[in-house]
Amino acid sequence: FCLLNIRKTGLAFWLPPGRSEGLLFACLLRVVVSPRWVLSIMPAYNFKSMQVVPPAKDFIDIVLSKTQRQTPTVVHNGWAIQRIRQFYMRKVKFTAQNWNEKLTQILDDFPKVEDIHPFYSDLLNVLYDKDHYKLALGQLNTARNLIDKLSQDYVRLLKYGDSLYRCKELKRAALGRMCTLMKGQDASLKYLEQVRQHMSRLPGIDPNARSLLLCGYPNVGKSSMMNILTRADVEVQPYAFTTKSLYVGHMDYRYMRWQVLDTPGILDRPLEERNTIEMQSITALAHLRCAVLYLVDISEQCGYSLAQQAALFHSIKPLFANKPLLVLVNKTDVRPLEVRRHASTPCHPRG
């Protein structure tokens, strides 16, 4: 499946393979498309299917052992020089092609920041630093191009090899330079493997599904509510920041499927002072089209007063724009709502 997105509009269509043209035509019959609108294909990434990125040493062993297994290994006495040249040219070409395929697979597996949904793009930036991520992928792309160039240069030299010894040394030089080049990419490979492991643990959030998003201060009861609404089993503890990442669960209401998101707690402080855990919540609020449930701990057992919880509400209120909003009062069994009825209630959405 791929997601067809019409920029500058709120329109998005899922086009299954084989029926794309018919569905697209049927959709566009109902839409007046202006020339300034651009059609773009937004791929749906499955982060759990990404292949392992080996370190440089293992990568070299994998490629060279495959070359050894799948190409001839013995030069027989009496071979003409032309046949000897072809023998070693085949090894150089096969090794370069193998490097190209492996590196292309890695580059294709990792999502391109410009092509994915803005939610995932900003989440990548929060978790892994977008610049470092793009730099690592760019270095592997450069290494792939350099290996192709090395292969072409040494194949050209092998065409003029005048002896078995000269051809063998040219082959060794070609493979040696390719391996040296990949040894220099060890840091990028290890970084991308760490990113892959973390991305494979990310929840499968659909930015276009009906969603409920739970937010508020730490330890106000978001995870407990998530466990009640869905079949998720989010850890609940009596201390702050038990939830350190986004969690997703699903529930059915009136024959419709709903996606419920549990976000890490947010503290009331400037954006630049918020840590990675808090920025995941901010990213979800900023980019996901959802109904927001803001939880308030009326008992103040979370460690924050009602005034502080109200201040947080107003500081992140711009993120609630154009989203349905409910303020939920929690822990009324500890301190009944009537006890606080005469207190100031600036948490009201209209306040």
Side-chain angles (χ1 to χ4, degrees), residues 28-94:
L28 293 183
L29 284 178
R30 300 174 179 269
V31 180
V32 179
V33 180
S34 170
R36 69 177 182 275
W37 290 342
V38 181
L39 295 179
S40 64
I41 300 299
M42 296 180 61
Y45 285 95
N46 181 10
F47 300 133
K48 292 179 173 57
S49 66
M50 295 163 58
Q51 295 185 3
V52 175
V53 181
K57 184 177 182 302
D58 295 345
F59 210 162
I60 292 171
D61 291 342
I62 291 169
V63 171
L64 293 186
S65 63
K66 185 175 181 180
T67 301
Q68 186 70 11
R69 290 193 316 269
Q70 299 190 11
T71 57
T73 57
V74 179
V75 176
H76 297 283
N77 293 330
W79 276 11
I81 188 63
Q82 183 62 30
R83 188 170 182 181
I84 294 174
R85 291 171 185 163
Q86 293 293 333
F87 177 89
Y88 287 111
M89 287 165 58
R90 178 179 177 182
K91 282 188 174 292
V92 173
K93 289 179 180 179
F94 185 88

Side-chain angles (χ1 to χ4, degrees), residues 107-157:
L107 293 171
D108 290 345
D109 277 350
F110 282 87
K112 305 297 182 292
V113 175
E114 297 81 7
D115 295 342
I116 56 179
H117 192 278
F119 164 69
Y120 278 117
S121 178
D122 273 11
L123 192 62
L124 285 175
N125 189 33
V126 168
L127 295 174
Y128 319 118
D129 182 8
K130 186 185 297 184
D131 293 336
H132 192 182
Y133 175 80
K134 294 173 71 173
L135 180 63
L137 291 178
Q139 288 175 337
L140 290 190
N141 186 50
T142 301
R144 179 180 62 176
N145 295 334
L146 288 175
I147 287 175
D148 290 343
K149 183 69 165 56
L150 280 174
S151 172
Q152 294 172 6
D153 291 344
Y154 276 92
V155 166
R156 191 178 300 113
L157 291 174

Side-chain angles (χ1 to χ4, degrees), residues 44-298:
Y45 285 95
N46 181 10
F47 300 133
K48 292 179 173 57
S49 66
M50 295 163 58
Q51 295 185 3
V52 175
V53 181
K57 184 177 182 302
D58 295 345
F59 210 162
I60 292 171
D61 291 342
I62 291 169
V63 171
L64 293 186
S65 63
K66 185 175 181 180
T67 301
Q68 186 70 11
R69 290 193 316 269
Q70 299 190 11
T71 57
T73 57
V74 179
V75 176
H76 297 283
N77 293 330
W79 276 11
I81 188 63
Q82 183 62 30
R83 188 170 182 181
I84 294 174
R85 291 171 185 163
Q86 293 293 333
F87 177 89
Y88 287 111
M89 287 165 58
R90 178 179 177 182
K91 282 188 174 292
V92 173
K93 289 179 180 179
F94 185 88
T95 306
Q97 181 183 1
N98 204 1
W99 280 118
N100 187 289
E101 291 174 355
K102 298 288 185 183
L103 291 173
T104 300
Q105 180 67 44
I106 293 174
L107 293 171
D108 290 345
D109 277 350
F110 282 87
K112 305 297 182 292
V113 175
E114 297 81 7
D115 295 342
I116 56 179
H117 192 278
F119 164 69
Y120 278 117
S121 178
D122 273 11
L123 192 62
L124 285 175
N125 189 33
V126 168
L127 295 174
Y128 319 118
D129 182 8
K130 186 185 297 184
D131 293 336
H132 192 182
Y133 175 80
K134 294 173 71 173
L135 180 63
L137 291 178
Q139 288 175 337
L140 290 190
N141 186 50
T142 301
R144 179 180 62 176
N145 295 334
L146 288 175
I147 287 175
D148 290 343
K149 183 69 165 56
L150 280 174
S151 172
Q152 294 172 6
D153 291 344
Y154 276 92
V155 166
R156 191 178 300 113
L157 291 174
L158 279 166
K159 289 179 180 179
Y160 300 99
D162 55 1
S163 65
L164 172 63
Y165 176 78
R166 181 67 60 86
C167 292
K168 185 175 181 179
E169 289 303 307
L170 285 172
K171 185 268 296 184
R172 289 182 61 187
L175 270 57
R177 289 187 64 182
M178 292 178 189
C179 294
T180 302
L181 184 61
M182 287 308 301
K183 284 180 181 178
Q185 305 302 319
D186 190 51
S188 296
L189 292 169
K190 289 180 177 177
Y191 167 77
L192 289 174
E193 172 58 16
Q194 292 177 352
V195 172
R196 185 201 67 81
Q197 292 178 3
H198 195 284
M199 290 176 68
S200 66
R201 295 192 293 268
L202 288 177
I205 298 174
D206 182 2
N208 303 289
R210 297 183 187 88
S211 302
L212 299 175
L213 192 145
L214 310 176
C215 66
Y217 260 102
N219 204 28
V220 296
K222 300 184 297 296
S223 298
S224 298
M225 186 171 182
M226 171 83 161
N227 292 339
I228 293 172
L229 292 176
T230 70
R231 295 181 181 178
D233 185 18
V234 184
E235 183 182 5
V236 178
Q237 295 293 342
Y239 51 81
F241 287 110
T242 307
T243 303
K244 296 182 174 63
S245 62
L246 297 172
Y247 286 89
V248 64
H250 297 86
M251 71 174 190
D252 293 322
Y253 178 70
R254 291 186 178 178
Y255 305 102
M256 289 188 294
R257 194 71 167 170
W258 289 80
Q259 180 177 249
V260 183
L261 301 174
D262 180 20
T263 62
I266 309 172
L267 299 180
D268 185 20
R269 51 185 176 182
L271 185 65
E272 58 273 10
E273 296 180 11
R274 290 191 167 117
N275 56 31
T276 302
I277 297 175
E278 296 172 86
M279 287 304 298
Q280 295 179 62
S281 300
I282 299 298
T283 302
L285 282 169
H287 292 294
L288 295 179
R289 301 189 63 178
C290 57
V292 179
L293 307 181
Y294 184 85
L295 272 73
V296 176
D297 180 3
I298 195 173

Side-chain angles (χ1 to χ4, degrees), residues 12-29:
F13 305 104
W14 283 103
L15 301 182
R19 299 179 58 193
S20 301
E21 297 84 1
L23 279 181
L24 178 59
F25 179 73
C27 291
L28 293 183
L29 284 178

